[in-house]
Amino acid sequence: VWNFFHRLSVTLCQCHGGCAEVDSLTEAVAGEGFLLGCISCKRREEVSGQATVDWYFRPLGEEDFRHIFHYNHPTADILHEDFSGRLEWQGTQSSDIQIGAVYMHNATFNDTGTYRCTFHRTLFLSLADEHVTVEKEVELTVVAVANRELTAVIAEIMMYVLILFLQLWLIVVLVYCYRKVWDEHEAREARKALKAQAELLDSKDNCDGVQLE
């Protein structure tokens, strides 16, 4: 679920043209897909540029990183056999890359380790081009069963509290509306009774007047 919402946030960033540096999730479930998030926003959106993105992987317990993926729009290359057919570009669909996310299919326990995302960016400034390198790391753990995060538990509790509150509020509104309608009905009936009583008194007075004549 959280992986879905993270992918949704990346998609929204792409659709609306904005950029927000959202941290990647850090826990994958064996046998399922996982989004390796990596976002590097330009300091000034109006400055055009271009970038390439490289992903590196260091398995748990090892010292050296392996070059596993390279993206240079529109070409994506998987560079290590352990990830063959399992990495899919989910980042910016243009050469001016700010989102360098990669989707990993069928995560395995061997995928646990450190992932490094590197942006090589060129900004086209009026005086001279500027070359920038940005690195971000993701510590990924692959587990057999997804652990429910505290935020997920709190969100679920808050959802039930909100539902309960809305139900109670609806009951209060219904009772209030019923009482208001009933009071209006009672007042209308009281007015009718008073009007009927007044008409009866008028009729009686008229009759008494005729008898006196």
Side-chain angles (χ1 to χ4, degrees):
V1 174
W2 291 106
N3 200 30
F4 165 76
F5 282 113
H6 193 275
R7 293 184 72 178
L8 178 63
S9 66
V10 170
T11 303
L12 290 174
C13 286
Q14 293 174 339
C15 292
H16 293 283
C19 183
E21 297 197 2
V22 181
D23 291 335
S24 175
L25 299 178
T26 59
E27 185 180 278
V29 178
E32 298 183 6
F34 180 79
L35 183 70
L36 287 165
C38 182
I39 302 177
S40 174
C41 300
K42 294 186 298 184
R43 292 190 299 272
R44 295 170 58 187
E45 284 285 341
E46 70 275 11
V47 176
S48 61
Q50 68 179 25
T52 61
V53 176
D54 292 278
W55 278 92
Y56 302 85
F57 171 57
R58 183 178 64 196
L60 189 65
E62 297 189 13
E63 295 184 359
D64 298 328
F65 278 91
R66 307 169 182 176
H67 196 183
I68 62 172
F69 187 85
H70 175 76
Y71 185 81
N72 186 2
H73 184 74
T75 304
D77 297 310
I78 300 174
L79 305 177
H80 197 280
E81 59 183 6
D82 290 349
F83 295 90
S84 179
R86 294 201 297 130
L87 298 180
E88 177 186 352
W89 178 252
Q90 291 288 314
T92 305
Q93 298 297 324
S94 71
S95 59
D96 193 0
I97 302 171
Q98 296 188 87
I99 302 174
V102 172
Y103 190 75
M104 179 192 300
H105 295 273
N106 190 27
T108 69
F109 293 109
N110 292 331
D111 295 329
T112 296
T114 304
Y115 292 80
R116 177 181 293 166
C117 166
T118 304
F119 282 81
H120 298 283
R121 175 176 290 135
T122 300
L123 298 173
F124 303 126
L125 304 177
S126 56
L127 297 179
D129 294 346
E130 180 181 351
H131 301 282
V132 180
T133 299
V134 179
E135 291 185 345
K136 294 177 177 288
E137 291 190 354
V138 179
E139 297 289 342
L140 179 64
T141 302
V142 180
V143 298
V145 180
N147 295 318
R148 298 188 66 191
E149 298 181 2
L150 179 60
T151 52
V153 176
I154 294 175
E156 187 172 341
I157 293 174
M158 291 301 296
M159 179 185 68
Y160 286 120
V161 170
L162 179 60
I163 291 174
L164 179 61
F165 171 77
L166 291 175
Q167 289 177 339
L168 293 175
W169 178 80
L170 180 60
I171 293 173
V172 170
V173 170
L174 290 175
V175 171
Y176 171 78
C177 292
Y178 175 79
R179 288 290 302 274
K180 186 175 182 180
V181 171
W182 178 256
D183 290 342
E184 290 178 353
H185 173 73
E186 289 290 313
R188 186 164 55 250
E189 292 298 321
R191 287 195 298 270
K192 287 181 179 179
L194 290 174
K195 183 178 180 181
Q197 186 177 5
E199 291 176 351
L200 181 61
L201 291 174
D202 288 341
S203 299
K204 186 177 180 181
D205 290 341
N206 292 333
C207 290
D208 292 341
V210 171
Q211 292 176 358
L212 291 174
E213 292 177 357

